[in-house]
Amino acid sequence: MITMEQLMINWGYVIVLFILGFITYKRKALDFLGSLVMIIMGIVIIFSAGINWLLLILIFLLLSLLATRYSKTYKRSLGEFEGRRTSKNVISNGIVACMMAAFGGYYLPFVGGFIGAIATATADTLASEIGVLHQPRLITTFQKVDPGTNGAVSFLGTSVGIFGAVIIGVCAFILGILENPFSAILVSAVSGTIGCFMDSFLGAIFERRNMLNNEHVNLLATITGAIIGILLI
């Protein structure tokens, strides 16, 4: 039962969330609809799971923004600078985590699903944004391909992606989402890595043939990460 005091605190967090949404829009990190969807998801998480769960998603958002801005000029020269993201990006990367958070307080395995989904989104984003700086290979054939090719992987991108997943696990422990640090890091690292590789496989097999688009691939990858996270709890 949420007390009146906690209810007032939560509404205070909602106000902060609106301010954050306004900032991400003004800074051109998200478009208007993307910022609005982020706010709605955040409200669901605040009132169903708590502020600490939302903070973990905001850590993913911060890491994503930093990775996107890294070597921006070089990415522009390759035509791989994504810039402002849309509501489709927000939904495909965040809807699974939002659903896990909505029920995480009532069913422990969904905690693993929540961490797994965020770890996957983080690993995939960092691998894509940083990995584009090195010569990648297609995950299905190991053939050298151009940076930004769907299904391409690189040692740099994979390493950074796994590191990003580990950061999510460490933060999940610090925020008290999982009390066991070993479990938090294990769930995050394993589910994030598998989910990230699933994204690459789907990209190589389906997205390159225009059978799926980037949002479909991201959604399926985060579902994979969530399932792995649930199984590991």
Side-chain angles (χ1 to χ4, degrees):
M1 178 70 69
I2 298 179
T3 64
M4 181 59 67
E5 181 182 1
Q6 185 59 53
L7 191 63
M8 294 300 294
I9 291 173
N10 284 348
W11 278 112
Y13 292 143
V14 170
I15 293 172
V16 174
L17 187 60
F18 269 94
I19 294 172
L20 181 62
F22 177 76
I23 292 172
T24 57
Y25 172 69
K26 293 299 290 183
R27 296 286 296 176
K28 299 183 178 180
L30 297 172
D31 65 8
F32 177 77
L33 193 54
S35 297
L36 183 61
V37 171
M38 182 195 75
I39 291 170
I40 293 171
M41 286 185 178
I43 292 173
V44 171
I45 293 171
I46 287 171
F47 284 96
S48 60
I51 185 62
N52 285 2
W53 291 53
L54 178 61
L55 287 175
L56 193 63
I57 290 186
L58 295 181
I59 289 169
F60 152 65
L61 178 62
L62 176 61
L63 291 173
S64 299
L65 293 177
L66 291 175
T68 299
R69 301 295 177 183
Y70 185 74
S71 293
K72 180 171 69 173
T73 303
Y74 178 66
K75 290 176 185 175
R76 284 190 189 279
S77 69
L78 295 175
E80 293 298 327
F81 180 69
E82 188 167 356
R84 175 173 278 183
R85 286 178 164 82
T86 68
S87 59
K88 292 180 180 179
N89 298 120
V90 177
I91 292 171
S92 62
N93 281 296
I95 190 64
V96 175
C98 183
M99 292 174 65
M100 293 294 108
F103 300 100
Y106 307 99
Y107 186 54
L108 178 61
F110 284 157
V111 177
F114 176 74
I115 294 173
I118 297 177
T120 296
T122 303
D124 176 52
T125 302
L126 268 59
S128 299
E129 294 291 346
I130 305 299
V132 74
L133 304 177
H134 273 203
Q135 173 70 60
R137 294 176 181 269
L138 197 64
I139 193 170
T140 51
T141 64
F142 294 104
Q143 220 175 353
K144 288 184 178 180
V145 291
D146 294 330
T149 300
N150 295 324
V153 295
S154 68
F155 177 77
L156 174 64
T158 300
S159 300
V160 173
I162 294 173
F163 180 67
V166 170
I167 290 176
I168 292 300
V170 171
C171 291
F173 164 67
I174 292 173
L175 293 170
I177 297 172
L178 267 183
E179 296 181 358
N180 187 315
F182 176 77
S183 295
I185 294 173
L186 176 68
V187 168
S188 186
V190 174
S191 58
T193 301
I194 293 175
C196 186
F197 278 125
M198 175 60 74
D199 186 282
S200 297
F201 274 112
L202 293 172
I205 297 170
F206 297 105
E207 192 175 358
R208 293 186 76 215
R209 295 178 172 85
N210 295 318
M211 299 170 68
L212 294 174
N213 62 30
N214 182 62
E215 286 74 29
H216 297 148
V217 169
N218 288 342
L219 178 61
L220 291 171
T222 53
I223 290 173
T224 301
I227 292 172
I228 299 299
I230 289 172
L231 293 175
L232 289 174
I233 286 293

